[in-house]
Amino acid sequence: MRPTLYTFSGAPRGWRVLLGFAFKGIDADIRILSVSERDHLKPEFLAMNPRAKVPVMTSGDTLLRDSIAILAWLDRAYPAKPLFGETPEQAAIIWQIAMECREYLREANRQLLSRAFFTDAKVPQAGSEDDQTFQQESALVHAECHYLESLLSDGRTFLAGEKPSAADALAYPEVRLLQRAVETRTELMTAAGFGYPPDHYPYVAAWKNRLNALPEVAATMPPHWREDTPIAKSA
């Protein structure tokens, strides 16, 4: 049965699943929830996820509400083009990178991008307590970008090898959200030490551009980016 995904436009965890569908060539029914209409708090959605978080995926009698669980389920339900590799060695590498992105890159981005997208995005006054916090937030994101840069510096095409995997599905939304912040909150992100990825992280930029060039990946871009509306919060 055709999977149905419920998510917000631009929500990084939901975007992971969209990329899972894209990498595997799965035709899914995508339901973009409205933040302004508080769709995630309506009874019909709370019946699927009482936590009021996205993503949620249904397929027949299957209901899943965690992005990693959904990606793992996709590999069992649709074995072609595996997201977690074909050998134990590949699986170990992919899971390692994916979990590090889930644990560290997402949290680092959450802190800095919450400032960029959900506040007035003003650069803190130099030497202020807020400036110290801002510098710490920026340093965390740079550390994770250096990690991705180190992975890609050996010439691999994607984060875990020559094919897109779950590792790319977790990392790509974070890098694209950083680029979005640079494009729309330029002064703040410049103060954070970020320009466009080629300026600081050339291997990450090349990897991002390889993914950008895939039509199925381009189709996952957040619809609201075309309307310049705020990025929605997610689980």
Side-chain angles (χ1 to χ4, degrees):
M1 182 173 289
R2 188 183 184 212
T4 298
L5 179 72
Y6 300 84
T7 188
F8 293 130
S9 177
R13 290 175 176 84
W15 199 345
R16 298 169 183 172
V17 181
L18 293 175
L19 288 166
F21 291 148
F23 294 161
K24 294 179 78 67
I26 297 171
D27 177 34
D29 180 14
I30 310 302
R31 308 283 181 91
I32 302 296
L33 303 181
S34 170
V35 179
S36 61
E37 296 295 326
R38 300 171 70 84
D39 286 346
H40 58 302
L41 298 178
K42 293 179 179 178
E44 55 268 31
F45 185 79
L46 292 175
M48 294 188 292
N49 189 0
R51 300 180 188 276
K53 304 285 189 178
V54 299
V56 169
M57 190 211 74
T58 63
S59 181
D61 294 331
T62 300
L63 188 155
L64 293 168
R65 44 184 178 251
D66 176 85
S67 61
I68 308 300
I70 295 170
L71 293 177
W73 180 87
L74 288 176
D75 254 7
R76 295 298 185 95
Y78 302 87
K81 300 180 180 179
L83 298 171
F84 291 95
E86 298 175 345
T87 67
E89 293 75 19
Q90 290 174 351
I93 293 170
I94 292 168
W95 275 106
Q96 178 73 38
I97 298 170
M99 291 300 96
E100 289 193 308
C101 288
R102 179 187 189 180
E103 184 73 17
Y104 303 111
L105 177 57
R106 172 83 292 267
E107 177 59 19
N109 255 15
R110 184 193 65 79
Q111 295 182 49
L112 181 60
L113 296 184
S114 291
R115 180 187 293 271
F117 293 127
F118 302 123
T119 73
D120 59 14
K122 290 183 179 178
V123 178
Q125 182 178 354
S128 67
E129 184 176 343
D130 189 39
D131 182 53
Q132 294 176 20
T133 301
F134 173 57
Q135 296 303 327
Q136 292 169 357
E137 293 168 350
S138 304
L140 287 174
V141 180
H142 279 292
E144 296 310 310
C145 288
H146 281 297
Y147 167 63
L148 297 180
E149 187 78 355
S150 69
L151 290 175
L152 293 160
S153 64
D154 66 359
R156 66 184 72 181
T157 303
F158 299 103
L159 286 177
E162 297 308 305
K163 298 178 181 178
S165 71
D168 303 280
L170 267 77
Y172 179 81
E174 306 298 341
V175 172
R176 287 298 283 115
L177 286 168
L178 281 173
Q179 179 180 330
R180 177 68 171 177
V182 170
E183 293 168 347
T184 61
R185 307 292 189 269
T186 304
E187 184 178 3
L188 179 73
M189 296 303 288
T190 298
F194 286 94
Y196 287 93
D199 294 339
H200 302 292
Y201 303 104
Y203 292 110
V204 172
W207 161 80
K208 175 181 65 69
N209 289 338
R210 284 191 288 273
L211 286 167
N212 286 346
L214 300 176
E216 60 271 26
V217 171
T220 71
M221 291 296 113
H224 81 271
W225 284 8
R226 295 190 294 270
E227 303 165 3
D228 198 29
T229 55
I231 291 178
K233 296 182 180 179
S234 69

